[in-house]
Amino acid sequence: MDFGTIKNVGIAVVNSIVEERNKNGEFEDFTSFCERIKDAGVNKKCVESLIKAGAFDSFGKTRATLLASFENILDTINNEARNKIENQVSMFDIMEETKEIPKYTYIEKKEMDEKELLSLEKEMLGLYISGHPLDKIRTQIEKISNFTTLDISKMNEELEQIGKTIDFKDGQTVRYVGIINKVNKKFTKNNKTMAFLNVEDFYGSAEIIVFDSVYNLTNYILVEENIVLIEGRISIREDEPVKLVASKITEFSEDLNVVNKEENTQKLNNKIKTLSINITRLEENRKEKLRGAIKFFSGDRVNVKLEIVDKDSVKPCGAIYMTDKILEIFEKIVDKENINLV
């Protein structure tokens, strides 16, 4: 692992850590590391990122334990350094010599599940280190899919060679399975919503184009870290990388089977709530932002109905698929006190 690529770390910090290790030997454990790098410009955010990336896994403590304990350990080290007077022996020092007192306390935690660990690695490094979220369903993927990013790489290489015959054709229908890395939503000229997905399999990532007709049916599963089966056609354009245009997107459930569309729709319908938004005291510019947000997040798949309260009138205003993040967006637009979700 190249520690310099870890988020919030950087080359300067890595050089300081390596210099300390080369000068005074290997770090014995996590607290040894913290003690020895306290003057090397390694702050709490940096240590947290190193924990999340798995840099201390060999020290025998779970990442969950270290994440729960590292701040107290660093605070203890820093306080001790500030309070210690050079060449002065205190009563506490004498007591330490005669009786072993544990300097640091770990808050022992059971390790996070594999999905959480991999998610942290992806967040810190931009890639998975200790495994891949698709590993457990490799057999199912190989049975269902007939297209991978290896095929895309091969096609891109062959397209650069004039006259080279490629195995796949423009418009050919394929099945591709991967985990969603990024969702980029756009408005079309007709004011409809579409999306560009970055979806990763074992070998790399592919760009998936999701037009409004498919987006409206599947927006509720187009979420980062969801594993999806994409059925679509290959798009080959001159001077552009090969892409996939989705015609159908379905989600893998925990039991490794594709979720039944009708069954999932029924589950969502059973969870419908109502979001009441009071606009009585809102300025016109905030009302305009609210209208834009409702339009942006609307779709065929919903779990929350919307109603607008204006003075004494209450009017229905469609429905959306609500998440915690989307709720925060609405709260910022109209203020939390003007929202009621029941």
Side-chain angles (χ1 to χ4, degrees):
M1 182 194 305
D2 183 356
F3 292 114
T5 63
I6 300 174
K7 185 177 179 181
N8 303 317
V9 178
I11 299 300
V13 168
V14 172
N15 289 339
S16 297
I17 294 172
V18 172
E19 183 180 350
E20 167 61 29
R21 186 185 62 191
N22 291 341
K23 183 179 180 181
N24 297 307
E26 298 289 332
F27 301 107
E28 297 177 0
D29 52 28
F30 178 71
T31 56
S32 166
F33 171 86
C34 293
E35 287 176 338
R36 289 167 56 182
I37 54 83
K38 68 178 183 298
D39 298 321
V42 184
N43 59 31
K44 287 184 179 180
K45 196 68 178 176
C46 175
V47 174
E48 180 183 25
S49 296
L50 288 169
I51 294 170
K52 288 181 176 180
F56 305 112
D57 285 0
S58 62
F59 288 154
K61 294 291 184 181
T62 66
R63 292 187 210 177
T65 295
L66 294 181
L67 286 172
S69 310
F70 80 96
E71 288 191 89
N72 286 337
I73 291 172
L74 290 174
D75 286 342
T76 299
I77 292 170
N78 291 331
N79 289 336
E80 184 181 70
R82 282 194 296 267
N83 295 333
K84 190 171 184 179
I85 302 174
E86 189 175 355
N87 297 324
Q88 180 175 336
V89 178
S90 68
M91 184 63 69
F92 183 74
D93 294 324
I94 296 172
M95 291 173 63
E96 271 194 325
E97 291 177 5
T98 58
K99 181 180 179 181
E100 289 190 9
I101 300 174
K103 293 174 68 174
Y104 312 111
T105 302
Y106 286 102
I107 303 172
E108 299 290 347
K109 296 278 188 179
K110 182 180 178 182
E111 188 57 287
M112 295 173 277
D113 62 35
E114 184 182 33
K115 184 178 180 180
E116 289 179 287
L117 292 175
L118 292 175
S119 179
L120 290 178
E121 291 175 4
K122 184 75 172 180
E123 177 190 355
M124 292 297 107
L125 289 156
L127 71 161
Y128 303 107
I129 296 297
S130 60
H132 197 284
L134 303 180
D135 283 338
K136 291 184 178 179
I137 55 174
R138 182 183 288 271
T139 301
Q140 287 81 356
I141 290 174
E142 291 174 348
K143 288 180 180 178
I144 293 172
S145 65
N146 59 5
F147 193 73
T148 71
T149 52
L150 286 180
D151 296 313
I152 293 177
S153 297
K154 184 180 178 183
M155 291 170 66
N156 286 329
E157 291 175 3
E158 292 173 342
L159 288 169
E160 292 178 357
Q161 303 176 34
I162 299 175
K164 181 77 173 182
T165 302
I166 61 176
D167 296 331
F168 294 90
K169 305 297 181 184
D170 181 48
Q172 182 174 341
T173 301
V174 295
R175 295 186 302 276
Y176 174 78
V177 176
I179 181 169
I180 298 176
N181 283 333
K182 189 174 181 180
V183 181
N184 187 15
K185 290 186 282 188
K186 299 286 186 181
F187 285 116
T188 68
K189 291 181 180 179
N190 297 324
N191 231 9
K192 295 182 178 180
T193 309
M194 63 175 294
F196 294 90
L197 310 181
N198 180 282
V199 182
E200 177 182 340
D201 64 5
F202 294 108
Y203 316 105
S205 58
E207 183 176 357
I208 314 296
I209 302 172
V210 185
F211 287 114
D212 62 281
S213 57
V214 177
Y215 177 84
N216 288 335
L217 293 173
T218 59
N219 64 78
Y220 70 101
I221 63 171
L222 301 185
V223 179
E224 291 182 11
E225 299 189 6
N226 261 7
I227 299 173
V228 291
L229 164 64
I230 298 167
E231 298 177 59
R233 60 179 176 82
I234 298 171
S235 175
I236 301 175
R237 296 291 180 268
E238 189 175 351
D239 298 326
E240 290 185 13
V242 173
K243 302 178 180 65
L244 293 181
V245 179
S247 57
K248 182 180 180 182
I249 303 176
T250 45
E251 183 180 16
F252 276 84
S253 66
E254 291 182 1
D255 62 1
L256 309 183
N257 294 314
V258 178
V259 173
N260 180 274
K261 181 179 175 182
E262 289 75 20
E263 182 181 299
N264 197 56
T265 301
Q266 185 61 44
K267 288 179 180 178
L268 287 175
N269 288 336
N270 291 337
K271 297 179 180 179
I272 293 290
K273 293 184 177 182
T274 298
L275 182 70
S276 180
I277 305 174
N278 193 324
I279 65 169
T280 303
R281 299 182 180 179
L282 289 188
E283 303 89 344
E284 189 56 42
N285 65 323
R286 298 175 81 183
K287 290 180 182 179
E288 185 62 34
K289 288 182 180 179
L290 176 61
R291 284 191 286 268
I294 292 173
K295 188 173 185 180
F296 186 79
F297 293 113
S298 63
D300 290 349
R301 301 291 182 176
V302 301
N303 64 352
V304 168
K305 296 177 183 178
L306 300 178
E307 63 179 25
I308 300 297
V309 178
D310 190 2
K311 297 180 180 177
D312 296 326
S313 67
V314 179
K315 296 179 180 179
C317 189
I320 63 173
Y321 189 80
M322 178 67 73
T323 66
D324 290 341
K325 288 185 178 179
I326 294 175
L327 181 60
E328 287 179 11
I329 291 172
F330 279 90
E331 289 175 346
K332 287 181 180 178
I333 293 173
V334 302
D335 294 333
K336 196 169 184 178
E337 60 266 25
N338 290 321
I339 280 186
N340 185 31
L341 180 61
V342 293

